[in-house]
Amino acid sequence: MSLGWISPFLDAQAAELNAAENTLLAYGRDLRHAAAWLSAQGTDFELASRPDLEAYLIALEADGMARATRARRLSALKQLYRFAYEEGWRADNPALQITGPGREKRLPKTLSIEEVDRLLSSSEAHGRNTGDRLRNHCLMQLLYATGMRVSELVSLPVAAARGDPQVLLIRGKGGKERMVPLSPPARTALAAWLDYRDAEEDRLKTEKGQPHSRFLFASRGKAGHLTRV
């Protein structure tokens, strides 16, 4: 079974690479499992070929083993055979060209309807003052209704939001334009924010001579509008 290979390999991992104890324990379990499987097929680490190792990995998958566990077991075999080749125990490395199962692709997590409702409701109460709360609620409603990028939303020109629109014209990457619909709650939040915003802009122009901003979500920063940070 070539079990005699495992202890020297683990000792080398501990001494040369300062491998953690848990890593060494996992390598040991994985390699003993592989050795037992190879023995049942009439071979061992010393004689196993690349097809033998690939058959082992196929058997693991057929047994329903998780992708991450299969990847770890292949990693243990690769490390063992690299060590065996360097030590002269084998003249070749049968694990060298074997590719792993890769990471499992997972679907993105989404919010439930109840979670979205709570998020939108909380935006109405989040802010230091009335203006902040109206702006934050408008931002969230527009983001939810249109699905536009945050960078597109914060840089939206105020002209695009005039006249109680049912759709917004968005200029995206590469200067490409597209139309996105507005839901009734988004239109209501937009109208409330515009009323407050316009009144505040008029006040600042009268009191401080500050010109009106061309952005829906104006800022005193260099960009002239809110940033995505």
Side-chain angles (χ1 to χ4, degrees):
M1 291 174 60
S2 296
L3 284 174
W5 283 20
I6 298 177
S7 292
F9 164 71
L10 295 178
D11 290 342
Q13 292 288 302
E16 298 173 13
L17 302 179
N18 196 28
E21 182 178 356
N22 287 340
T23 300
L24 296 176
L25 290 173
Y27 274 168
R29 287 193 301 269
D30 292 343
L31 293 174
R32 283 190 291 272
H33 184 276
W37 189 90
L38 290 171
S39 177
Q41 313 309 309
T43 187
D44 56 20
F45 288 144
E46 186 175 356
L47 300 175
S49 63
R50 174 177 172 177
D52 291 328
L53 300 182
E54 290 175 334
Y56 170 63
L57 296 173
I58 292 172
L60 296 181
E61 183 177 10
D63 288 341
M65 184 170 290
R67 186 177 302 208
T69 305
R70 286 184 279 126
R72 191 193 68 216
R73 293 201 169 176
L74 174 58
S75 176
L77 286 170
K78 282 180 171 288
Q79 296 291 338
L80 174 69
Y81 275 108
R82 183 174 65 179
F83 178 74
Y85 179 77
E86 292 172 350
E87 292 294 309
W89 297 349
R90 284 198 55 148
D92 64 341
N93 182 345
L96 184 62
Q97 300 298 325
I98 299 177
T99 57
R103 292 187 177 182
E104 186 174 2
K105 294 182 179 180
R106 298 181 180 179
L107 293 175
K109 294 182 178 180
T110 58
L111 298 177
S112 67
I113 294 177
E114 292 76 13
E115 289 171 329
V116 171
D117 287 341
R118 288 199 299 270
L119 182 62
L120 294 175
S121 296
S122 67
S123 66
E124 293 184 271
H126 183 73
R128 295 169 297 179
N129 51 50
T130 299
D132 282 357
R133 290 189 288 272
L134 288 172
R135 181 200 62 201
N136 293 341
H137 187 55
C138 182
L139 283 165
M140 292 303 300
Q141 285 287 359
L142 290 179
L143 195 63
Y144 178 60
T146 65
M148 71 176 89
R149 299 180 181 91
V150 173
S151 58
E152 295 170 343
L153 175 60
V154 296
S155 61
L156 195 66
V158 68
R162 297 293 187 194
D164 189 24
Q166 296 188 31
V167 296
L168 290 178
L169 179 64
I170 306 300
R171 186 181 297 274
K173 290 184 177 180
K176 295 182 179 180
E177 295 182 338
R178 68 184 190 280
M179 304 292 288
V180 293
L182 291 180
S183 64
R187 293 171 64 191
T188 300
L190 176 59
W193 166 242
L194 275 174
D195 286 344
Y196 181 90
R197 174 201 175 280
D198 290 348
E200 186 67 10
E201 291 256 310
D202 289 342
R203 182 185 68 80
L204 291 174
K205 184 174 183 179
T206 300
E207 295 179 1
K208 300 181 180 181
Q210 183 173 309
H212 288 169
S213 171
R214 66 185 184 91
F215 296 108
L216 178 60
F217 301 105
S219 168
R220 288 178 293 180
K222 183 178 180 180
H225 58 74
L226 293 180
T227 64
R228 54 184 296 174
V229 179

